[in-house]
Every structure is written in C-alpha cells, then in structure tokens.
C-alpha cells in the first residue's frame, strides 16, 4: 500500500474534474455503469437524447442499489430502480412510480458532468461545493482523426504524483530513455491551468526488427489534477496526436490512470514508411494510433512500479535545475481544503541545492 494515499499531508481526493467513463463504454454496457469513484459508489447512465447523469448508486426511496448487477436498468430514457420501479431522469429527479405520483423529495444526489470528445467527467468539490472552474469549452475537431484508443491501469497512487511527470523532465531521460529533452517555454500557470511545453527525441523498436526514430514536440495542457491533455507533434513525419492522461482516485488508496490516444489525418507524410504513405489516407491514422498507443502504454508501465512504491515528500530536496517541481507543488495547493497540507518546498531551490 502506498504511503501517499494514507499520508495526512495529502488528501487522496483533491478537488477538480475527474474522468468517469467514456460514451463508448456506456454504449457497450446498456447505458448504465456502476463503479467506485472518488471514494463514492456511483452510477453513470444516459438517456435517449445523450444526456448523461452521474449520481449516487442508491435509490433515495428505500435505499436499493441501482446498478445493473442487481437489476437496475435504463428504460425509455429513464433510470429504473429494481426494487419498486421508481424512475429517474438525468437531472436526478424521480418522475414516475408504479404506485402513484412521484414524490418530489425522491431525488438522486447528482454530480455536475462535462463531456469532451466522448469522454465523460464529473466535478468533485470540497465538501460538495459547486464547480470553481471548468474544463476547456471547445470540442477538439474530429475530422480525419482516428477513434480513441483507451487503456486503464489501476495501482496504488495519487493524481498529484502522476501529473507531476509533466514538469519532471529529468525522469524522461532516466526512466524512459528519451534524448535531447529540452524546455521550450517557461511553465505557464494561471489559476487552475498549467501549461508545460517541451521537445524530445526517442527511438522505438517496431516488431522487434525496425527502429523508428522520432522527434517530438509536446504541449501539455493541465486543468487540475484529473485532466491532462497533451498535443503531440512528430516533426519528421508531420504526425499530430492527442493524448489524454486522466488520473482518477478510486478508494483512497488506488487510482485509475486512463490513457486515451488519438491520431490526426496524414495527408502527405514526411517519411514514406513511418508515415504509411503507401496506404490509403483513411487507413493511416487508426494504424499509427495503435502503434503509438502501444508505446505510450509501455512508458506508463515503466512509471507504475515507481508511483506505486514511492513515498510523498512534502519538502523535496531539489537540485538547482528542478525549480519547476516547486512551482508545480505550489500550483497543486489550491485543490485541497487546507493549503497548509501541501506546504511544499518551504525553502528555496537554491538553498536546498546548497545544503546537498
């Protein structure tokens, strides 16, 4: 069990928007999913008009579990309780019962939701408060882009630690073997938003025979500790990708790290073989996306053992070159009820380095 989740200095459930499920997963599960999310037992369901509801998993009538495992279902666009047949709309309100008028007091506790490119998020507020900020308003253009490849790994950890990788550029070389890692711009931090831009080079083995050399530009756009969206440009091929790195607390000890990849259209690849220029244009993005998703999974699996076993250091002894970690820790403080709980880096980086 990781020390992070049980460390009183760092709450396992920071405030923010956290991934719940995908539209595709809902479709595959008869529009109803039950799960543990942010320490709560919840249901996720959608109506006939694509409205989505994230709510507590128990009926306010007599406490029945509403999940599909005990008979809960979605019928005619409404969530139906398996115990007495109470029906709820996506606003959480009971709108019908088999016995008479629906009681106005019968209402599910619902969480505010937001859907981006088929990915469904819900707001987790400190002491249940309403959203203090929002995810990006615009929808990414889907024209010519591949479908999502979604992969989820569950392990002991904390979203602050996984998201910290976006500013910890040194680990890209030491853990993942990247070359020529360099910061493009200084960190940009504004309220709940953080932007980290960097370049790197890497060599990948394909089918254990070919070696694929890549030159990459990464633009990480971070909104809190549950939503990291990375715009990726491979320069030599002219390849654009999108990555969502979504860390979601489960039970106070484990997190689900969801990695979503998507590849853009390749009209005139800069490299004949690597860009699959010999294939029809429509086939290039989905095939390349499968390769890139494999590489991304490999990178995550290199990090997971470290994340799972590490201890959180509220005052890390940083080197002179790691000031951005201190900036990141200060940024994170706003997502907890007591900012003193994340009083990181109480001395300057230079002082720490001098003491080493």
């Amino acid at each position: 069990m990781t020390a992070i989740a049980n460390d009183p200095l760092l709450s396992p459930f920071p405030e923010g928007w956290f991934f719940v499920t995908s539209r595709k997963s809902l479709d595959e599960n008869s529009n109803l999913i039950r799960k543990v999310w942010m320490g709560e037992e919840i249901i996720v369901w959608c109506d006939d008009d694509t409205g989505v509801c994230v709510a507590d998993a128990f009926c306010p009538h007599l406490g029945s579990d509403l999940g599909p495992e005990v008979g809960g279902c979605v019928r005619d666009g409404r969530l139906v309780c398996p115990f007495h047949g109470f029906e709820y709309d996506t606003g959480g309100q009971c709108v019908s019962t088999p016995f008479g008028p629906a009681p106005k007091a019968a209402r599910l506790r619902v969480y505010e939701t937001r859907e981006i490119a088929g990915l469904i998020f819900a707001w987790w507020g400190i002491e249940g408060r309403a959203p203090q900020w929002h995810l990006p308003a615009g929808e990414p253009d889907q024209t010519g882009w591949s479908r999502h490849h979604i992969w989820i790994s569950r392990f002991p950890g904390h979203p602050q630690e996984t998201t910290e990788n976006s500013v910890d550029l040194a680990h890209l070389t030491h853990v993942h073997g990247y070359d020529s890692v360099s910061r493009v711009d200084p960190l940009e931090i504004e309220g709940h938003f953080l932007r980290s831009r960097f370049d790197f080079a890497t060599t990948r083995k394909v089918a254990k025979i070919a070696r694929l050399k890549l030159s990459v530009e990464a633009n990480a756009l971070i909104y809190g500790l549950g939503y990291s969206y990375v715009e990726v440009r491979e320069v030599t091929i002219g390849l654009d990708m999108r990555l969502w790195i979504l860390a979601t607390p489960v039970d106070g000890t484990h997190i689900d790290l969801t990695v979503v990849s998507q590849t853009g259209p390749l009209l005139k690849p800069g490299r004949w073989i690597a860009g699959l220029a010999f294939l029809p244009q429509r086939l290039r993005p989905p095939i390349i996306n499968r390769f890139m998703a494999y590489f991304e999974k490999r990178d995550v699996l290199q990090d997971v053992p470290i994340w799972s076993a590490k201890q959180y250091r509220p005052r890390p002894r940083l080197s002179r070159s790691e000031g951005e970690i201190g900036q990141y820790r200060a940024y994170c403080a706003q997502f907890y009820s007591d900012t003193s709980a994340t009083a990181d880096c109480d001395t300057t980086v230079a002082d720490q380095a001098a003491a080493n």
Side-chain angles (χ1 to χ4, degrees):
M1 180 178 295
T2 179
I4 297 167
N6 296 309
D7 194 321
L9 296 178
L10 195 61
S11 166
F13 304 117
E15 185 170 72
W17 292 91
F18 292 91
F19 181 66
V20 180
T21 191
S22 67
R23 177 70 64 171
K24 181 175 183 290
S25 184
L26 273 176
D27 291 342
E28 293 171 346
N29 288 276
S30 301
N31 294 330
L32 178 61
I33 292 173
R34 189 192 191 284
K35 65 186 303 182
V36 178
W37 174 86
M38 303 298 290
E40 302 285 349
E41 295 180 83
I42 64 165
I43 51 168
V44 192
W45 64 283
C46 61
D47 60 20
D48 295 337
D49 297 321
T50 71
V52 176
C53 181
V54 177
D56 283 353
F58 300 95
C59 182
H61 173 221
L62 284 173
S64 173
D65 193 311
L66 296 167
E69 296 83 359
V70 296
C73 67
V74 177
R75 186 173 63 227
D76 298 327
R78 294 174 178 176
L79 175 68
V80 182
C81 174
F83 196 16
H84 292 89
F86 279 36
E87 299 181 8
Y88 297 88
D89 63 18
T90 51
Q93 182 64 53
C94 180
V95 293
S96 178
T97 81
F99 316 113
K104 293 182 179 179
R107 183 178 181 85
L108 300 171
R109 178 194 174 196
V110 299
Y111 298 87
E112 187 160 340
T113 62
R114 171 71 201 283
E115 183 172 349
I116 298 177
L119 306 174
I120 298 167
F121 302 85
W123 170 263
W124 174 264
I126 295 171
E127 298 181 349
R129 67 179 180 175
Q132 304 298 297
W133 44 272
H134 292 277
L135 295 176
E139 282 282 328
D141 182 17
Q142 298 296 314
T143 305
W145 285 75
S146 71
R147 294 181 180 179
H148 294 154
H149 182 282
I150 301 178
W151 175 71
I152 302 175
S153 177
R154 178 172 293 187
F155 55 88
H158 192 283
Q160 178 171 320
E161 296 282 80
T162 57
T163 306
E164 191 167 89
N165 274 19
S166 62
V167 302
D168 182 8
L169 301 190
H171 99 282
L172 296 177
T173 299
H174 193 74
V175 177
H176 304 304
Y178 292 179
D179 299 320
S180 306
V181 180
S182 61
R183 167 67 64 198
V184 174
D185 296 320
L187 285 186
E188 177 186 344
I189 298 176
E190 184 175 351
H192 62 272
F193 173 74
L194 183 149
R195 177 177 177 176
S196 178
R197 293 186 61 200
F198 53 92
D199 295 345
F200 63 89
T202 184
T203 300
R204 305 290 189 171
K205 290 184 179 180
V206 181
K208 298 182 180 180
I209 301 174
R211 296 174 64 86
L212 181 62
K213 294 184 178 181
L214 302 174
S215 179
V216 179
E217 299 173 348
N219 181 30
L221 308 173
I222 296 165
Y223 295 80
L225 303 182
Y227 186 93
S228 296
Y229 173 66
V230 187
E231 298 171 334
V232 178
R233 174 77 173 177
E234 202 294 317
V235 178
T236 64
I237 301 173
L239 171 68
D240 290 307
M241 285 191 63
R242 297 167 177 154
L243 290 175
W244 284 267
I245 314 295
L246 310 172
T248 304
V250 178
D251 53 10
T253 297
H254 296 84
I255 65 171
D256 281 342
L257 188 67
T258 303
V259 182
V260 184
S261 64
Q262 191 176 27
T263 297
L266 268 172
L267 303 181
K268 296 180 179 179
R271 295 162 65 182
W272 180 260
I273 300 296
L276 305 184
F278 52 89
L279 291 179
Q281 180 184 325
R282 63 182 177 82
L283 297 180
R284 297 169 194 163
I287 293 175
I288 290 179
N289 196 48
R290 291 182 67 87
F291 278 109
M292 294 304 180
Y294 168 81
F295 295 143
E296 186 63 30
K297 180 178 180 179
R298 189 206 71 166
D299 284 358
V300 170
L301 290 177
Q302 289 174 336
D303 283 318
V304 165
I306 298 172
W307 285 326
S308 299
K310 74 189 300 292
Q311 290 185 334
Y312 176 69
R313 290 287 187 253
R315 296 178 177 84
R317 300 309 189 240
L318 302 175
S319 71
R320 292 178 182 272
S321 63
E322 295 178 304
E324 290 176 345
I325 292 179
Q327 291 178 263
Y328 170 79
R329 295 288 185 93
Y331 160 80
C332 291
Q334 65 186 296
F335 305 119
Y336 301 92
S337 59
D338 181 0
T339 55
S340 67
T342 52
D344 309 303
C345 308
D346 60 340
T347 58
T348 66
V349 174
D351 288 344
Q352 291 177 6
N356 291 340

